[in-house]
């Protein structure tokens, strides 16, 4: 369609389509009405939303008018996955990874419903989604650190001494954003710093070096689903599990080890969102205390993981990782044996729902006209 012509002498205005409009889904886990979307409307409305309703499936979740979305509750998860639904956490935001599984887009952005639009130092609203897309579409440099951080950003470049043979970088699989106001602290830190707020905006993006782990936060996160989606499993958390609040970190450790093995990059830094709600540190401590204890073994485990050369896909890497979890972490607690089994179930379910479009299985998830999952 040609652009509409204005008055004589005026330059015609050509509508600009939002970046990756038809290639990106926004995944939101929630237990409440999504009124927070009103603040994000200028940035999110052009995109498709996948809402994963946690908790009571009989509760009605209100979504503001004008958004294109599909909404899944626990009944839908059980219907679509059958017995394999056991790998999706219940009463925990880890349920969001079901949205990653049913998406058919190349990219995913996930955000929590207590995250609002932040402002940069000039007072301008930050389009977090656009900044994530910028990071995902530019290469990463995990093999050699650039002291000007991301050399692909406008106004930056590779510094003197950076090998020219490495300047093409590698594909970026994960863009990890940060938060203003309420920091993403664990319960002990929350307890000793109850009034601390993050007001410092650092205008930087950097690639996390190969061989270095990081604590991934899932409330402001984007990733290339085609490159790393099958490893973005947020584990078994919440109802019936001895641990919570380690879902995103578990996924981050698994993804980083696999990205390092497959030659993919992970970036962290911009964009910022405004985290509005501090969770109860005493409730968090009850959820985290085993994780705080176990992480002293989990981190050395991931630091020592060496995946075989014949693991050339994310799925094969993840299945190999599940075997190592069972072997190395299983003796610590039976939970890890259960988690290792769930990792296998996750991959099986992922492959069932993500077969080539020409196959009958591709119709496993059918949608109703109103944007909610169709009931079979």
């Amino acid at each position: 369609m040609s652009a509409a012509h204005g008055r004589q002498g005026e330059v015609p205005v050509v509508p600009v389509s939002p970046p990756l409009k038809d290639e990106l889904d926004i995944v939101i886990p929630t237990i409440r009405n999504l009124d927070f979307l009103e603040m994000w409307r200028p940035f999110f409305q052009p995109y498709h939303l996948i809402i994963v309703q946690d908790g009571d499936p009989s509760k009605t979740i209100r979504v503001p008018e004008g958004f294109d979305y599909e909404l899944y509750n626990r009944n839908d998860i059980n219907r679509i996955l059958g017995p394999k639904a056991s790998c999706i956490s219940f009463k925990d935001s880890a349920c969001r990874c079901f949205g990653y599984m049913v998406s058919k887009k190349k990219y995913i952005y996930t955000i929590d419903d207590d995250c609002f639009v932040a402002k940069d130092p000039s007072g301008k609203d930050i389009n977090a989604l656009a900044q994530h897309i910028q990071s995902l579409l530019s290469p990463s440099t995990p093999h050699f650190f650039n002291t000007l951080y991301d050399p692909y950003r406008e106004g930056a470049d590779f510094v003197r001494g950076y090998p020219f043979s490495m300047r093409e970088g590698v594909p970026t699989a994960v863009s990890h954003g940060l938060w203003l106001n309420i920091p993403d602290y664990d319960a002990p830190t929350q307890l000793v710093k109850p009034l601390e707020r993050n007001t410092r905006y650092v205008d930087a993006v950097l690639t996390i070096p190969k061989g270095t782990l990081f604590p991934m936060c899932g409330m402001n996160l984007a990733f290339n689903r085609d490159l790393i989606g099958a490893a973005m499993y947020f584990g078994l958390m919440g109802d019936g599990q001895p641990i919570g609040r380690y879902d995103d970190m578990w996924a981050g450790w698994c993804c980083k080890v696999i990205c390092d093995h497959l030659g993919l990059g992970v970036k962290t830094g911009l964009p910022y969102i405004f985290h509005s709600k501090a969770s109860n540190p005493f409730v968090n401590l009850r959820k985290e205390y085993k994780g705080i204890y176990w992480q002293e073994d989990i981190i050395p485990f991931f630091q020592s993981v060496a995946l075989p050369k014949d693991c050339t896909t994310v799925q094969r890497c993840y299945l190999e990782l599940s075997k190592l979890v069972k072997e190395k972490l299983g003796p610590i607690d039976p939970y890890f044996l259960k988690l290792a089994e769930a990792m296998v179930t996750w991959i099986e379910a992922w492959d069932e729902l993500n077969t080539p479009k020409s196959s009958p299985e591709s119709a496993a998830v059918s949608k109703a006209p109103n944007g909610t999952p169709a009931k079979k």
Side-chain angles (χ1 to χ4, degrees):
M1 184 182 295
S2 60
H5 292 285
R7 296 186 181 90
Q8 188 174 2
E10 289 184 351
V11 177
V13 177
V14 180
V16 178
S17 179
L20 303 182
K21 177 182 177 295
D22 299 318
E23 298 180 74
L24 182 144
D25 280 335
I26 300 172
V27 174
I28 305 168
T30 193
I31 58 170
R32 58 182 64 87
N33 292 333
L34 293 181
D35 299 327
F36 91 114
L37 285 173
E38 288 294 354
M39 178 177 282
W40 288 101
R41 187 181 292 276
F43 308 124
F44 287 2
Q45 190 162 352
Y47 296 88
H48 181 67
L49 311 181
I50 298 178
I51 301 163
V52 183
Q53 178 181 342
D54 193 21
D56 183 2
S58 67
K59 181 180 178 181
T60 300
I61 297 293
R62 192 185 73 81
V63 181
E65 292 287 336
F67 286 94
D68 171 41
Y69 71 94
E70 46 193 295
L71 171 64
Y72 296 91
N73 61 33
R74 192 70 201 187
N75 293 337
D76 300 310
I77 294 172
N78 292 338
R79 171 179 57 82
I80 292 166
L81 296 186
K84 293 184 175 65
S86 62
C87 72
I88 304 298
S89 298
F90 183 56
K91 293 188 177 178
D92 193 279
S93 64
C95 67
R96 78 177 78 219
C97 62
F98 177 77
Y100 311 158
M101 183 186 286
V102 297
S103 171
K104 295 295 178 267
K105 304 289 178 62
K106 183 176 181 179
Y107 300 96
I108 295 287
Y109 175 53
T110 185
I111 186 172
D112 285 2
D113 60 14
D114 61 352
C115 294
F116 300 157
V117 177
K119 293 185 182 295
D120 66 18
S122 72
K124 182 181 178 182
D125 285 349
I126 296 171
N127 185 346
L129 183 53
Q131 290 189 358
H132 274 299
I133 289 171
Q134 183 178 339
S135 288
L136 288 173
L137 294 183
S138 62
S140 293
T141 54
H143 303 294
F144 202 91
F145 189 81
N146 191 56
T147 50
L148 271 181
Y149 305 116
D150 190 343
Y152 305 102
R153 289 189 67 200
E154 186 177 351
D157 210 325
F158 294 96
V159 299
R160 180 170 55 90
Y162 201 101
F164 283 87
S165 60
M166 294 184 177
R167 295 191 180 193
E168 286 188 4
V170 303
T172 299
V174 180
S175 172
H176 177 255
L178 299 176
W179 350 266
L180 294 172
N181 196 39
I182 306 294
D184 186 31
Y185 285 158
D186 54 34
T189 309
Q190 281 183 301
L191 285 167
V192 298
K193 295 183 173 181
L195 301 179
E196 182 158 300
R197 299 292 181 265
N198 180 33
T199 59
R200 189 171 59 139
Y201 177 99
V202 180
D203 187 11
V205 176
L206 64 151
T207 296
I208 300 174
K210 181 179 181 180
T212 300
L213 297 173
F214 74 111
M216 189 175 82
C217 174
M219 66 177 154
N220 177 25
L221 178 73
F223 59 92
N224 185 319
R225 186 178 175 278
D226 287 357
L227 291 181
I228 199 64
M232 274 289 177
Y233 176 47
F234 277 42
L236 287 177
M237 303 281 155
D239 194 50
Q241 309 304 332
I243 185 176
R245 285 173 56 84
Y246 272 80
D247 51 332
D248 42 9
M249 288 185 285
W250 179 264
W253 295 328
C254 292
C255 285
K256 187 57 166 63
V257 165
I258 293 173
C259 282
D260 287 351
H261 176 74
L262 295 178
L264 302 171
V266 177
K267 292 184 177 183
T268 187
L270 299 179
Y272 285 92
I273 50 85
F274 185 90
H275 186 207
S276 66
K277 187 178 67 177
S279 48
N280 187 307
F282 295 101
V283 173
N284 290 345
L285 186 59
R286 189 172 67 247
K287 294 178 180 179
E288 292 176 2
Y289 80 95
K290 285 195 173 183
I292 292 170
Y293 176 69
W294 288 340
Q295 71 187 15
E296 301 306 317
D297 292 301
I298 295 173
I299 300 301
F301 162 74
F302 279 107
Q303 288 174 327
S304 65
V305 164
L307 296 172
K309 289 184 178 179
D310 63 353
C311 288
T312 55
T313 66
V314 174
Q315 282 92 329
R316 291 184 68 176
C317 288
Y318 203 72
L319 291 174
E320 183 65 26
L321 203 51
S322 72
K323 295 176 186 176
L324 294 173
V325 168
K326 184 176 182 180
E327 176 188 345
K328 303 293 186 181
L329 297 181
I332 297 173
D333 191 275
Y335 166 75
F336 291 102
L337 300 177
K338 189 177 179 182
L339 177 57
E341 292 177 4
M343 293 169 71
V344 175
T345 303
W346 161 265
I347 291 296
E348 291 172 350
W350 180 279
D351 285 345
E352 284 182 10
L353 291 186
N354 291 279
T355 49
K357 291 182 180 179
S358 58
S359 67
E361 291 83 1
S362 63
V365 182
S366 57
K367 308 295 188 304
N370 64 355
T372 58
K375 311 294 182 188
K376 292 184 180 179

